[in-house]
Amino acid sequence: MKNYTQVYVQNSLEAVEHYCDAFGAEVTFEIKNPAQDAYEHCELSVKGEPFLAAAETPAPYDVGLIHREKWQVMTFNAFEMGSEEAVRHAFQVLSQGGVVIAPIGELPWSTCCATVIDRYGVCWWLSI
């Protein structure tokens, strides 16, 4: 069995570029809407392995409220990222316009990790 996660976000074209930058991902499959201004479905891979799917949300939501209340309805765990540098880069990119829940630090189970809600309202736990 495999588990492949998908996010539904506003500004999906921009979000996909953002996630590609944060994680060194590439788009491996995409279907855009008829106007070509949003993804109906987009798949991202890292080093040839499926990582994340994304699509435009069917209904708008208030990212500002998510940031103010620091809502964590679901957290995506990006772990075994390979290096502290990779964690720091992803954290730096995802923090732009987002809200830091836990800055980069150490926990008993990880020497380098952090939690951030990105500018699209998606919560990420990042770890080496």
Side-chain angles (χ1 to χ4, degrees):
M1 175 160 111
K2 293 184 178 185
N3 183 9
Y4 194 68
T5 56
Q6 179 159 335
V7 294
Y8 292 89
V9 295
Q10 298 171 137
N11 305 310
S12 58
L13 296 178
E14 177 186 289
V16 165
E17 286 183 29
H18 196 66
Y19 297 141
C20 284
D21 181 16
F23 298 105
E26 64 178 335
V27 173
T28 51
F29 181 78
E30 64 182 7
I31 299 172
K32 293 182 181 174
N33 66 2
Q36 300 291 299
D37 62 358
Y39 284 115
E40 289 184 2
H41 184 74
C42 182
E43 297 175 4
L44 300 151
S45 294
V46 175
K47 296 180 182 174
E49 292 295 320
F51 171 67
L52 180 72
E56 192 72 22
T57 183
Y61 54 90
D62 186 346
V63 173
L65 180 63
I66 292 169
H67 287 170
R68 280 191 306 280
E69 299 299 323
K70 298 183 179 178
W71 284 348
Q72 298 177 55
V73 180
M74 175 185 280
T75 299
F76 291 92
N77 295 334
F79 57 98
E80 294 184 14
M81 293 183 65
S83 69
E84 187 175 314
E85 180 181 317
V87 172
R88 290 186 182 284
H89 177 74
F91 179 77
Q92 185 268 328
V93 171
L94 297 172
S95 296
Q96 295 170 9
V99 173
V100 174
I101 301 299
I104 292 178
E106 198 171 313
L107 292 172
W109 56 88
S110 177
T111 59
C112 179
C113 60
T115 305
V116 62
I117 300 174
D118 70 24
R119 63 181 171 211
Y120 307 100
V122 178
C123 187
W124 296 91
W125 181 73
L126 310 167
S127 178
I128 192 164

PDB file of all heavy atoms in Angstrom, residues 7-39:
ATOM      1  N   VAL A   7      -2.830  18.347  -1.545  1.00  0.00           N
ATOM      2  CA  VAL A   7      -3.318  19.581  -0.947  1.00  0.00           C
ATOM      3  C   VAL A   7      -4.232  20.289  -1.941  1.00  0.00           C
ATOM      4  O   VAL A   7      -4.014  20.225  -3.153  1.00  0.00           O
ATOM      5  CB  VAL A   7      -2.162  20.528  -0.532  1.00  0.00           C
ATOM      6  CG1 VAL A   7      -1.348  19.924   0.592  1.00  0.00           C
ATOM      7  CG2 VAL A   7      -1.269  20.879  -1.703  1.00  0.00           C
ATOM      8  N   TYR A   8      -5.258  20.919  -1.404  1.00  0.00           N
ATOM      9  CA  TYR A   8      -6.149  21.766  -2.185  1.00  0.00           C
ATOM     10  C   TYR A   8      -5.907  23.184  -1.690  1.00  0.00           C
ATOM     11  O   TYR A   8      -6.172  23.485  -0.518  1.00  0.00           O
ATOM     12  CB  TYR A   8      -7.611  21.349  -1.981  1.00  0.00           C
ATOM     13  CG  TYR A   8      -7.894  19.992  -2.570  1.00  0.00           C
ATOM     14  CD1 TYR A   8      -7.727  18.836  -1.820  1.00  0.00           C
ATOM     15  CD2 TYR A   8      -8.300  19.880  -3.895  1.00  0.00           C
ATOM     16  CE1 TYR A   8      -7.970  17.592  -2.371  1.00  0.00           C
ATOM     17  CE2 TYR A   8      -8.542  18.632  -4.449  1.00  0.00           C
ATOM     18  CZ  TYR A   8      -8.385  17.493  -3.681  1.00  0.00           C
ATOM     19  OH  TYR A   8      -8.620  16.262  -4.235  1.00  0.00           O
ATOM     20  N   VAL A   9      -5.366  24.020  -2.566  1.00  0.00           N
ATOM     21  CA  VAL A   9      -4.938  25.354  -2.168  1.00  0.00           C
ATOM     22  C   VAL A   9      -5.462  26.410  -3.139  1.00  0.00           C
ATOM     23  O   VAL A   9      -5.818  26.115  -4.279  1.00  0.00           O
ATOM     24  CB  VAL A   9      -3.398  25.450  -2.103  1.00  0.00           C
ATOM     25  CG1 VAL A   9      -2.829  24.550  -1.018  1.00  0.00           C
ATOM     26  CG2 VAL A   9      -2.768  25.108  -3.450  1.00  0.00           C
ATOM     27  N   GLN A  10      -5.488  27.640  -2.670  1.00  0.00           N
ATOM     28  CA  GLN A  10      -5.743  28.776  -3.531  1.00  0.00           C
ATOM     29  C   GLN A  10      -4.436  29.118  -4.242  1.00  0.00           C
ATOM     30  O   GLN A  10      -3.363  28.917  -3.678  1.00  0.00           O
ATOM     31  CB  GLN A  10      -6.240  29.967  -2.704  1.00  0.00           C
ATOM     32  CG  GLN A  10      -7.536  29.675  -1.998  1.00  0.00           C
ATOM     33  CD  GLN A  10      -7.966  30.732  -1.009  1.00  0.00           C
ATOM     34  OE1 GLN A  10      -9.122  31.074  -0.974  1.00  0.00           O
ATOM     35  NE2 GLN A  10      -7.069  31.235  -0.191  1.00  0.00           N
ATOM     36  N   ASN A  11      -4.509  29.619  -5.469  1.00  0.00           N
ATOM     37  CA  ASN A  11      -3.312  29.967  -6.240  1.00  0.00           C
ATOM     38  C   ASN A  11      -2.420  28.740  -6.459  1.00  0.00           C
ATOM     39  O   ASN A  11      -1.226  28.751  -6.175  1.00  0.00           O
ATOM     40  CB  ASN A  11      -2.520  31.086  -5.565  1.00  0.00           C
ATOM     41  CG  ASN A  11      -3.368  32.311  -5.317  1.00  0.00           C
ATOM     42  OD1 ASN A  11      -4.047  32.782  -6.234  1.00  0.00           O
ATOM     43  ND2 ASN A  11      -3.350  32.823  -4.108  1.00  0.00           N
ATOM     44  N   SER A  12      -3.009  27.684  -6.971  1.00  0.00           N
ATOM     45  CA  SER A  12      -2.302  26.407  -7.089  1.00  0.00           C
ATOM     46  C   SER A  12      -1.064  26.461  -7.988  1.00  0.00           C
ATOM     47  O   SER A  12      -0.080  25.775  -7.705  1.00  0.00           O
ATOM     48  CB  SER A  12      -3.249  25.307  -7.573  1.00  0.00           C
ATOM     49  OG  SER A  12      -3.841  25.650  -8.819  1.00  0.00           O
ATOM     50  N   LEU A  13      -1.079  27.267  -9.053  1.00  0.00           N
ATOM     51  CA  LEU A  13       0.112  27.361  -9.905  1.00  0.00           C
ATOM     52  C   LEU A  13       1.299  27.905  -9.113  1.00  0.00           C
ATOM     53  O   LEU A  13       2.417  27.373  -9.181  1.00  0.00           O
ATOM     54  CB  LEU A  13      -0.153  28.241 -11.129  1.00  0.00           C
ATOM     55  CG  LEU A  13      -1.200  27.754 -12.131  1.00  0.00           C
ATOM     56  CD1 LEU A  13      -1.367  28.768 -13.248  1.00  0.00           C
ATOM     57  CD2 LEU A  13      -0.854  26.393 -12.693  1.00  0.00           C
ATOM     58  N   GLU A  14       1.050  28.961  -8.357  1.00  0.00           N
ATOM     59  CA  GLU A  14       2.095  29.557  -7.516  1.00  0.00           C
ATOM     60  C   GLU A  14       2.522  28.588  -6.419  1.00  0.00           C
ATOM     61  O   GLU A  14       3.716  28.442  -6.128  1.00  0.00           O
ATOM     62  CB  GLU A  14       1.555  30.842  -6.900  1.00  0.00           C
ATOM     63  CG  GLU A  14       2.499  31.522  -5.946  1.00  0.00           C
ATOM     64  CD  GLU A  14       1.846  32.707  -5.264  1.00  0.00           C
ATOM     65  OE1 GLU A  14       1.605  33.725  -5.938  1.00  0.00           O
ATOM     66  OE2 GLU A  14       1.565  32.602  -4.048  1.00  0.00           O
ATOM     67  N   ALA A  15       1.551  27.918  -5.802  1.00  0.00           N
ATOM     68  CA  ALA A  15       1.854  26.986  -4.707  1.00  0.00           C
ATOM     69  C   ALA A  15       2.765  25.864  -5.184  1.00  0.00           C
ATOM     70  O   ALA A  15       3.726  25.490  -4.496  1.00  0.00           O
ATOM     71  CB  ALA A  15       0.571  26.414  -4.118  1.00  0.00           C
ATOM     72  N   VAL A  16       2.502  25.324  -6.370  1.00  0.00           N
ATOM     73  CA  VAL A  16       3.332  24.241  -6.895  1.00  0.00           C
ATOM     74  C   VAL A  16       4.769  24.727  -7.098  1.00  0.00           C
ATOM     75  O   VAL A  16       5.720  24.025  -6.734  1.00  0.00           O
ATOM     76  CB  VAL A  16       2.727  23.669  -8.192  1.00  0.00           C
ATOM     77  CG1 VAL A  16       3.741  22.824  -8.950  1.00  0.00           C
ATOM     78  CG2 VAL A  16       1.494  22.829  -7.854  1.00  0.00           C
ATOM     79  N   GLU A  17       4.958  25.909  -7.639  1.00  0.00           N
ATOM     80  CA  GLU A  17       6.317  26.461  -7.784  1.00  0.00           C
ATOM     81  C   GLU A  17       6.984  26.593  -6.419  1.00  0.00           C
ATOM     82  O   GLU A  17       8.172  26.293  -6.254  1.00  0.00           O
ATOM     83  CB  GLU A  17       6.268  27.829  -8.460  1.00  0.00           C
ATOM     84  CG  GLU A  17       5.989  27.790  -9.932  1.00  0.00           C
ATOM     85  CD  GLU A  17       6.032  29.176 -10.561  1.00  0.00           C
ATOM     86  OE1 GLU A  17       6.767  30.053 -10.058  1.00  0.00           O
ATOM     87  OE2 GLU A  17       5.316  29.373 -11.557  1.00  0.00           O
ATOM     88  N   HIS A  18       6.221  27.043  -5.435  1.00  0.00           N
ATOM     89  CA  HIS A  18       6.714  27.235  -4.065  1.00  0.00           C
ATOM     90  C   HIS A  18       7.195  25.896  -3.485  1.00  0.00           C
ATOM     91  O   HIS A  18       8.278  25.805  -2.918  1.00  0.00           O
ATOM     92  CB  HIS A  18       5.576  27.834  -3.240  1.00  0.00           C
ATOM     93  CG  HIS A  18       5.971  28.444  -1.960  1.00  0.00           C
ATOM     94  ND1 HIS A  18       6.766  29.568  -1.859  1.00  0.00           N
ATOM     95  CD2 HIS A  18       5.647  28.113  -0.682  1.00  0.00           C
ATOM     96  CE1 HIS A  18       6.914  29.896  -0.588  1.00  0.00           C
ATOM     97  NE2 HIS A  18       6.253  29.020   0.138  1.00  0.00           N
ATOM     98  N   TYR A  19       6.386  24.841  -3.640  1.00  0.00           N
ATOM     99  CA  TYR A  19       6.737  23.533  -3.104  1.00  0.00           C
ATOM    100  C   TYR A  19       7.913  22.915  -3.876  1.00  0.00           C
ATOM    101  O   TYR A  19       8.756  22.250  -3.275  1.00  0.00           O
ATOM    102  CB  TYR A  19       5.532  22.596  -3.101  1.00  0.00           C
ATOM    103  CG  TYR A  19       4.403  23.082  -2.210  1.00  0.00           C
ATOM    104  CD1 TYR A  19       3.085  22.943  -2.586  1.00  0.00           C
ATOM    105  CD2 TYR A  19       4.667  23.704  -0.992  1.00  0.00           C
ATOM    106  CE1 TYR A  19       2.052  23.395  -1.779  1.00  0.00           C
ATOM    107  CE2 TYR A  19       3.650  24.169  -0.181  1.00  0.00           C
ATOM    108  CZ  TYR A  19       2.337  24.003  -0.577  1.00  0.00           C
ATOM    109  OH  TYR A  19       1.324  24.453   0.228  1.00  0.00           O
ATOM    110  N   CYS A  20       7.976  23.151  -5.170  1.00  0.00           N
ATOM    111  CA  CYS A  20       9.131  22.663  -5.943  1.00  0.00           C
ATOM    112  C   CYS A  20      10.415  23.297  -5.421  1.00  0.00           C
ATOM    113  O   CYS A  20      11.430  22.609  -5.251  1.00  0.00           O
ATOM    114  CB  CYS A  20       8.949  22.952  -7.434  1.00  0.00           C
ATOM    115  SG  CYS A  20       7.793  21.837  -8.255  1.00  0.00           S
ATOM    116  N   ASP A  21      10.373  24.596  -5.140  1.00  0.00           N
ATOM    117  CA  ASP A  21      11.543  25.290  -4.598  1.00  0.00           C
ATOM    118  C   ASP A  21      11.898  24.763  -3.207  1.00  0.00           C
ATOM    119  O   ASP A  21      13.044  24.436  -2.921  1.00  0.00           O
ATOM    120  CB  ASP A  21      11.271  26.794  -4.542  1.00  0.00           C
ATOM    121  CG  ASP A  21      12.456  27.603  -4.006  1.00  0.00           C
ATOM    122  OD1 ASP A  21      13.588  27.090  -3.952  1.00  0.00           O
ATOM    123  OD2 ASP A  21      12.232  28.768  -3.632  1.00  0.00           O
ATOM    124  N   ALA A  22      10.907  24.632  -2.346  1.00  0.00           N
ATOM    125  CA  ALA A  22      11.156  24.224  -0.959  1.00  0.00           C
ATOM    126  C   ALA A  22      11.780  22.835  -0.860  1.00  0.00           C
ATOM    127  O   ALA A  22      12.662  22.609  -0.034  1.00  0.00           O
ATOM    128  CB  ALA A  22       9.854  24.267  -0.154  1.00  0.00           C
ATOM    129  N   PHE A  23      11.335  21.916  -1.696  1.00  0.00           N
ATOM    130  CA  PHE A  23      11.734  20.520  -1.547  1.00  0.00           C
ATOM    131  C   PHE A  23      12.587  19.973  -2.695  1.00  0.00           C
ATOM    132  O   PHE A  23      12.896  18.792  -2.726  1.00  0.00           O
ATOM    133  CB  PHE A  23      10.491  19.640  -1.374  1.00  0.00           C
ATOM    134  CG  PHE A  23       9.706  19.977  -0.141  1.00  0.00           C
ATOM    135  CD1 PHE A  23       8.509  20.667  -0.233  1.00  0.00           C
ATOM    136  CD2 PHE A  23      10.187  19.643   1.114  1.00  0.00           C
ATOM    137  CE1 PHE A  23       7.791  20.998   0.909  1.00  0.00           C
ATOM    138  CE2 PHE A  23       9.480  19.970   2.262  1.00  0.00           C
ATOM    139  CZ  PHE A  23       8.280  20.649   2.154  1.00  0.00           C
ATOM    140  N   GLY A  24      12.964  20.823  -3.644  1.00  0.00           N
ATOM    141  CA  GLY A  24      13.722  20.336  -4.788  1.00  0.00           C
ATOM    142  C   GLY A  24      12.897  19.368  -5.629  1.00  0.00           C
ATOM    143  O   GLY A  24      13.425  18.428  -6.208  1.00  0.00           O
ATOM    144  N   ALA A  25      11.599  19.613  -5.670  1.00  0.00           N
ATOM    145  CA  ALA A  25      10.683  18.729  -6.395  1.00  0.00           C
ATOM    146  C   ALA A  25      10.544  19.160  -7.848  1.00  0.00           C
ATOM    147  O   ALA A  25      10.942  20.266  -8.228  1.00  0.00           O
ATOM    148  CB  ALA A  25       9.309  18.739  -5.719  1.00  0.00           C
ATOM    149  N   GLU A  26       9.968  18.281  -8.639  1.00  0.00           N
ATOM    150  CA  GLU A  26       9.650  18.617 -10.019  1.00  0.00           C
ATOM    151  C   GLU A  26       8.234  18.143 -10.328  1.00  0.00           C
ATOM    152  O   GLU A  26       7.752  17.171  -9.746  1.00  0.00           O
ATOM    153  CB  GLU A  26      10.648  17.985 -10.993  1.00  0.00           C
ATOM    154  CG  GLU A  26      10.625  16.473 -11.007  1.00  0.00           C
ATOM    155  CD  GLU A  26      11.592  15.879 -12.019  1.00  0.00           C
ATOM    156  OE1 GLU A  26      11.919  16.551 -13.005  1.00  0.00           O
ATOM    157  OE2 GLU A  26      12.004  14.735 -11.810  1.00  0.00           O
ATOM    158  N   VAL A  27       7.584  18.845 -11.242  1.00  0.00           N
ATOM    159  CA  VAL A  27       6.249  18.458 -11.687  1.00  0.00           C
ATOM    160  C   VAL A  27       6.411  17.276 -12.633  1.00  0.00           C
ATOM    161  O   VAL A  27       7.156  17.343 -13.610  1.00  0.00           O
ATOM    162  CB  VAL A  27       5.545  19.628 -12.401  1.00  0.00           C
ATOM    163  CG1 VAL A  27       4.223  19.171 -13.004  1.00  0.00           C
ATOM    164  CG2 VAL A  27       5.326  20.786 -11.438  1.00  0.00           C
ATOM    165  N   THR A  28       5.723  16.173 -12.322  1.00  0.00           N
ATOM    166  CA  THR A  28       5.826  14.976 -13.157  1.00  0.00           C
ATOM    167  C   THR A  28       4.535  14.685 -13.910  1.00  0.00           C
ATOM    168  O   THR A  28       4.517  13.845 -14.809  1.00  0.00           O
ATOM    169  CB  THR A  28       6.235  13.758 -12.306  1.00  0.00           C
ATOM    170  OG1 THR A  28       5.375  13.659 -11.166  1.00  0.00           O
ATOM    171  CG2 THR A  28       7.679  13.896 -11.832  1.00  0.00           C
ATOM    172  N   PHE A  29       3.446  15.365 -13.540  1.00  0.00           N
ATOM    173  CA  PHE A  29       2.167  15.214 -14.238  1.00  0.00           C
ATOM    174  C   PHE A  29       1.321  16.418 -13.890  1.00  0.00           C
ATOM    175  O   PHE A  29       1.300  16.849 -12.734  1.00  0.00           O
ATOM    176  CB  PHE A  29       1.466  13.928 -13.793  1.00  0.00           C
ATOM    177  CG  PHE A  29       0.152  13.690 -14.484  1.00  0.00           C
ATOM    178  CD1 PHE A  29       0.115  13.190 -15.772  1.00  0.00           C
ATOM    179  CD2 PHE A  29      -1.039  13.974 -13.847  1.00  0.00           C
ATOM    180  CE1 PHE A  29      -1.091  12.969 -16.419  1.00  0.00           C
ATOM    181  CE2 PHE A  29      -2.249  13.763 -14.483  1.00  0.00           C
ATOM    182  CZ  PHE A  29      -2.275  13.255 -15.779  1.00  0.00           C
ATOM    183  N   GLU A  30       0.623  16.966 -14.899  1.00  0.00           N
ATOM    184  CA  GLU A  30      -0.223  18.117 -14.617  1.00  0.00           C
ATOM    185  C   GLU A  30      -1.411  18.189 -15.561  1.00  0.00           C
ATOM    186  O   GLU A  30      -1.300  17.838 -16.738  1.00  0.00           O
ATOM    187  CB  GLU A  30       0.563  19.423 -14.702  1.00  0.00           C
ATOM    188  CG  GLU A  30       1.108  19.741 -16.075  1.00  0.00           C
ATOM    189  CD  GLU A  30       1.935  21.022 -16.120  1.00  0.00           C
ATOM    190  OE1 GLU A  30       2.223  21.621 -15.075  1.00  0.00           O
ATOM    191  OE2 GLU A  30       2.305  21.415 -17.239  1.00  0.00           O
ATOM    192  N   ILE A  31      -2.521  18.607 -15.000  1.00  0.00           N
ATOM    193  CA  ILE A  31      -3.722  18.912 -15.776  1.00  0.00           C
ATOM    194  C   ILE A  31      -4.209  20.269 -15.272  1.00  0.00           C
ATOM    195  O   ILE A  31      -4.512  20.423 -14.082  1.00  0.00           O
ATOM    196  CB  ILE A  31      -4.837  17.860 -15.573  1.00  0.00           C
ATOM    197  CG1 ILE A  31      -4.355  16.484 -16.025  1.00  0.00           C
ATOM    198  CG2 ILE A  31      -6.097  18.269 -16.334  1.00  0.00           C
ATOM    199  CD1 ILE A  31      -5.311  15.356 -15.691  1.00  0.00           C
ATOM    200  N   LYS A  32      -4.251  21.235 -16.178  1.00  0.00           N
ATOM    201  CA  LYS A  32      -4.730  22.567 -15.812  1.00  0.00           C
ATOM    202  C   LYS A  32      -6.190  22.713 -16.218  1.00  0.00           C
ATOM    203  O   LYS A  32      -6.688  21.982 -17.087  1.00  0.00           O
ATOM    204  CB  LYS A  32      -3.883  23.644 -16.489  1.00  0.00           C
ATOM    205  CG  LYS A  32      -2.460  23.687 -15.968  1.00  0.00           C
ATOM    206  CD  LYS A  32      -1.666  24.788 -16.625  1.00  0.00           C
ATOM    207  CE  LYS A  32      -0.227  24.794 -16.097  1.00  0.00           C
ATOM    208  NZ  LYS A  32       0.609  25.751 -16.826  1.00  0.00           N
ATOM    209  N   ASN A  33      -6.860  23.672 -15.613  1.00  0.00           N
ATOM    210  CA  ASN A  33      -8.248  23.953 -15.963  1.00  0.00           C
ATOM    211  C   ASN A  33      -8.304  24.548 -17.378  1.00  0.00           C
ATOM    212  O   ASN A  33      -7.264  24.902 -17.947  1.00  0.00           O
ATOM    213  CB  ASN A  33      -8.900  24.864 -14.918  1.00  0.00           C
ATOM    214  CG  ASN A  33      -8.289  26.252 -14.869  1.00  0.00           C
ATOM    215  OD1 ASN A  33      -7.392  26.600 -15.631  1.00  0.00           O
ATOM    216  ND2 ASN A  33      -8.765  27.061 -13.950  1.00  0.00           N
ATOM    217  N   PRO A  34      -9.483  24.662 -17.957  1.00  0.00           N
ATOM    218  CA  PRO A  34      -9.586  25.194 -19.322  1.00  0.00           C
ATOM    219  C   PRO A  34      -8.967  26.587 -19.498  1.00  0.00           C
ATOM    220  O   PRO A  34      -8.412  26.892 -20.555  1.00  0.00           O
ATOM    221  CB  PRO A  34     -11.093  25.220 -19.586  1.00  0.00           C
ATOM    222  CG  PRO A  34     -11.622  24.099 -18.745  1.00  0.00           C
ATOM    223  CD  PRO A  34     -10.780  24.159 -17.489  1.00  0.00           C
ATOM    224  N   ALA A  35      -9.032  27.435 -18.482  1.00  0.00           N
ATOM    225  CA  ALA A  35      -8.443  28.781 -18.570  1.00  0.00           C
ATOM    226  C   ALA A  35      -6.921  28.755 -18.395  1.00  0.00           C
ATOM    227  O   ALA A  35      -6.267  29.780 -18.565  1.00  0.00           O
ATOM    228  CB  ALA A  35      -9.075  29.688 -17.518  1.00  0.00           C
ATOM    229  N   GLN A  36      -6.360  27.605 -18.037  1.00  0.00           N
ATOM    230  CA  GLN A  36      -4.917  27.432 -17.828  1.00  0.00           C
ATOM    231  C   GLN A  36      -4.366  28.281 -16.675  1.00  0.00           C
ATOM    232  O   GLN A  36      -3.177  28.584 -16.648  1.00  0.00           O
ATOM    233  CB  GLN A  36      -4.136  27.753 -19.120  1.00  0.00           C
ATOM    234  CG  GLN A  36      -4.500  26.868 -20.293  1.00  0.00           C
ATOM    235  CD  GLN A  36      -4.041  25.433 -20.101  1.00  0.00           C
ATOM    236  OE1 GLN A  36      -2.859  25.164 -19.971  1.00  0.00           O
ATOM    237  NE2 GLN A  36      -4.977  24.505 -20.072  1.00  0.00           N
ATOM    238  N   ASP A  37      -5.246  28.657 -15.720  1.00  0.00           N
ATOM    239  CA  ASP A  37      -4.788  29.504 -14.616  1.00  0.00           C
ATOM    240  C   ASP A  37      -4.827  28.799 -13.257  1.00  0.00           C
ATOM    241  O   ASP A  37      -4.639  29.424 -12.223  1.00  0.00           O
ATOM    242  CB  ASP A  37      -5.586  30.807 -14.567  1.00  0.00           C
ATOM    243  CG  ASP A  37      -7.069  30.596 -14.315  1.00  0.00           C
ATOM    244  OD1 ASP A  37      -7.524  29.435 -14.215  1.00  0.00           O
ATOM    245  OD2 ASP A  37      -7.798  31.612 -14.222  1.00  0.00           O
ATOM    246  N   ALA A  38      -5.071  27.490 -13.269  1.00  0.00           N
ATOM    247  CA  ALA A  38      -5.094  26.715 -12.025  1.00  0.00           C
ATOM    248  C   ALA A  38      -4.936  25.234 -12.361  1.00  0.00           C
ATOM    249  O   ALA A  38      -5.232  24.803 -13.482  1.00  0.00           O
ATOM    250  CB  ALA A  38      -6.407  26.937 -11.274  1.00  0.00           C
ATOM    251  N   TYR A  39      -4.447  24.477 -11.379  1.00  0.00           N
ATOM    252  CA  TYR A  39      -4.327  23.034 -11.562  1.00  0.00           C
ATOM    253  C   TYR A  39      -5.618  22.336 -11.166  1.00  0.00           C
ATOM    254  O   TYR A  39      -6.161  22.594 -10.092  1.00  0.00           O
ATOM    255  CB  TYR A  39      -3.193  22.457 -10.710  1.00  0.00           C
ATOM    256  CG  TYR A  39      -1.823  22.736 -11.253  1.00  0.00           C
ATOM    257  CD1 TYR A  39      -0.928  23.531 -10.558  1.00  0.00           C
ATOM    258  CD2 TYR A  39      -1.412  22.183 -12.465  1.00  0.00           C
ATOM    259  CE1 TYR A  39       0.342  23.784 -11.057  1.00  0.00           C
ATOM    260  CE2 TYR A  39      -0.144  22.433 -12.976  1.00  0.00           C
ATOM    261  CZ  TYR A  39       0.724  23.233 -12.264  1.00  0.00           C
ATOM    262  OH  TYR A  39       1.970  23.473 -12.758  1.00  0.00           O
TER     263      TYR A  39
END
